[in-house]
Amino acid sequence: MKYFIKTFGCQMNVADSDFAAGCLESCGYYLADAAQEADVVVVNTCTVRQHAEDRALSYIGTLKNFKKNNPAARIYLMGCVASRLGESLKKRFPHLDGVVPAQEIERFADVVSSPGMTEKKSPAADRNNRAGVPSENCLSVRSSGASEFVTISRGCSNFCSYCIVPYVRGPARHRASAEILDEISSLASKGIGRITLLGQNVNSYSSDGVGFAALINMAASVSGVESIGFLTSHPKDMSDEIIIAAAREPKVRKIFHLPVQSGSDRILALMNRGYTRDGYLSLVAKIRKECPAAAITTDIIVGSPTETESDFMDTFSLAEAARLDGFFAFKYSPREGTASGRLADDVSQSAKEERLARILELQRSLIRSRGGRKIKS
């Protein structure tokens, strides 16, 4: 019996797909090279932006003929689109056999269980796993060789006005530090020494008296660990303690991904980001002071509701002044159910596209000014 997983979206989705694959392999399934060769097909979806959701749903639609020609095969949809649209997806796509919302990833093995899959008890059913993350027996599938994501938390409680994540992944839930260190130790014993601590907002991590700065040092001290990275940080939670811990621990990769989203104080307030333009620039200055060789990257949204040319120029000038090492830039996409989604999407598509082109050209210019140096994650 074989399985195939198609993943859309962020690193958290990649980690969720690894978890699902581990559950399937623990039940005796083997990875197929293509969906057409599989007995179980899993589509892991993203809904952060409409384009990502549309791509995932389009792919699910293409599986209709596969199901028609292979009626015994099973197709499951998981991830953020599953959280947002739920069981209504089975009406739209009758060839789906099941839907697993992102915040219920620990139920994956239960949903896909069948007489042929119940001979081995899946660790995914362990209800003591508060964050819904893989236990050791579900770590059989790794997406990146000697490098691996280790989920330290799930969900988010920030409720940025444009972001659907808290609604589809639920509030922030943090794993116990002992569980995280046990997983890292297990990976290191298998020769996987390049670890990335993963969460929607890693620097808000707090569990059993352990904060994120302490977790960085504890993870780096695990025998066999070669390097530690982390994704993603929220600027409002990036404390001096975390900066110092990351800067001074030799095993930490000196890359700070700090999504700014906008350089306009007015737009930042509308976004509910919890910091100002000057606060962000001060944070960048602190990181560069403690760790001059650090690479700092960001995310930027252009065309948010009510964004003016002046607001955009504040973003442009912030990226220029901070001399950021790279950024992902996106056109604003309204998400149903969010605070921003209730506002008029009043920036024209042509203005969004023009601003996106300008900010991406700035990025290319900054890269050229550094001699084309690329960031290694």
Side-chain angles (χ1 to χ4, degrees):
M1 301 288 282
K2 292 184 177 182
Y3 73 91
F4 180 81
I5 300 179
K6 178 73 171 178
T7 305
F8 296 87
C10 66
Q11 292 90 344
M12 185 64 75
N13 274 20
V14 173
D16 287 350
S17 290
D18 278 350
F19 171 64
C23 291
L24 288 163
E25 291 209 356
S26 74
C27 295
Y29 279 67
Y30 296 88
L31 179 64
D33 292 328
Q36 289 70 23
E37 303 172 5
D39 302 283
V40 172
V41 176
V42 180
V43 184
N44 193 358
T45 59
C46 174
T47 190
V48 170
R49 283 171 292 278
Q50 188 63 47
H51 178 64
E53 180 174 310
D54 291 344
R55 287 178 59 225
L57 294 179
S58 176
Y59 179 79
I60 293 164
T62 67
L63 296 174
K64 181 178 179 179
N65 287 336
F66 165 73
K67 181 71 171 182
K68 181 178 179 181
N69 296 328
N70 301 273
R74 286 171 293 148
I75 302 172
Y76 297 95
L77 185 148
M78 60 184 280
C80 294
V81 174
S83 297
R84 193 174 85 81
L85 299 178
E87 290 295 315
S88 67
L89 288 162
K90 294 177 72 173
K91 295 180 180 179
R92 180 173 175 181
F93 302 103
H95 53 287
L96 280 177
D97 292 281
V99 175
V100 185
Q103 68 270 36
E104 298 179 19
I105 181 65
E106 68 271 19
R107 290 184 53 245
F108 178 81
D110 296 340
V111 174
V112 302
S113 64
S114 71
M117 296 181 67
T118 56
E119 296 176 2
K120 299 181 183 180
K121 181 181 182 296
S122 171
D126 181 5
R127 294 297 181 261
N128 293 322
N129 192 339
R130 291 184 294 114
V133 294
S135 62
E136 183 176 351
N137 290 335
C138 266
L139 299 178
S140 58
V141 174
R142 292 297 159 186
S143 60
S144 49
S147 179
E148 189 49 55
F149 294 125
V150 172
T151 302
I152 68 170
S153 63
R154 288 186 180 277
C156 183
S157 300
N158 286 323
F159 289 94
C160 299
S161 66
Y162 56 84
C163 185
I164 200 170
V165 168
Y167 303 96
V168 295
R169 286 192 173 270
R173 291 143 6 246
H174 305 288
R175 286 178 82 184
S177 59
E179 291 179 4
I180 295 169
L181 296 173
D182 284 347
E183 181 178 343
I184 293 172
S185 180
S186 175
L187 291 169
S189 72
K190 297 180 176 76
I192 301 173
R194 187 178 170 89
I195 302 298
T196 299
L197 304 177
L198 185 65
Q200 302 295 154
N201 180 14
V202 289
N203 46 1
S204 69
Y205 176 84
S206 179
S207 181
D208 45 69
V210 177
F212 188 59
L215 184 66
I216 289 173
N217 290 323
M218 294 163 70
S221 69
V222 173
S223 177
V225 168
E226 298 169 4
S227 70
I228 295 288
F230 49 90
L231 286 171
T232 288
S233 300
H234 195 300
K236 73 178 178 63
D237 295 317
M238 181 59 82
S239 66
D240 292 351
E241 184 184 19
I242 293 172
I243 293 171
I244 291 169
R248 297 182 183 177
E249 170 51 59
K251 290 185 180 179
V252 170
R253 302 193 291 277
K254 312 306 181 190
I255 302 171
F256 295 78
H257 187 66
L258 288 170
V260 66
Q261 308 301 4
S262 175
S264 162
D265 283 343
R266 188 181 72 84
I267 296 296
L268 287 171
L270 286 174
M271 287 179 166
N272 191 36
R273 290 294 286 173
Y275 55 85
T276 63
R277 171 195 177 87
D278 286 347
Y280 186 88
L281 289 172
S282 176
L283 179 59
V284 169
K286 286 180 182 179
I287 293 172
R288 297 209 189 282
K289 179 181 177 181
E290 291 292 334
C291 188
I296 302 175
T297 61
T298 198
D299 293 342
I300 289 172
I301 298 172
V302 301
S304 295
T306 77
E307 182 188 78
T308 64
E309 175 65 15
S310 176
D311 292 320
F312 170 73
M313 287 308 301
D314 284 344
T315 301
F316 190 96
S317 63
L318 179 145
E320 196 171 32
R323 298 198 64 78
L324 297 167
D325 294 276
F327 37 86
F328 299 97
F330 309 95
K331 294 180 292 184
Y332 169 77
S333 175
R335 309 311 295 136
E336 183 181 0
T338 64
S340 289
R342 295 191 288 272
L343 301 175
D345 184 15
D346 58 356
V347 180
S348 69
Q349 285 299 312
S350 61
K352 289 179 183 179
E353 290 169 4
E354 190 265 344
R355 291 171 189 174
L356 181 64
R358 285 158 64 191
I359 202 75
L360 291 176
E361 177 53 35
L362 173 62
Q363 176 174 236
R364 288 188 287 269
S365 175
L366 290 171
I367 291 173
R368 286 193 297 268
S369 71
R370 294 192 302 271
R373 177 172 65 91
K374 294 184 178 180
I375 307 304
K376 294 182 178 180
S377 60

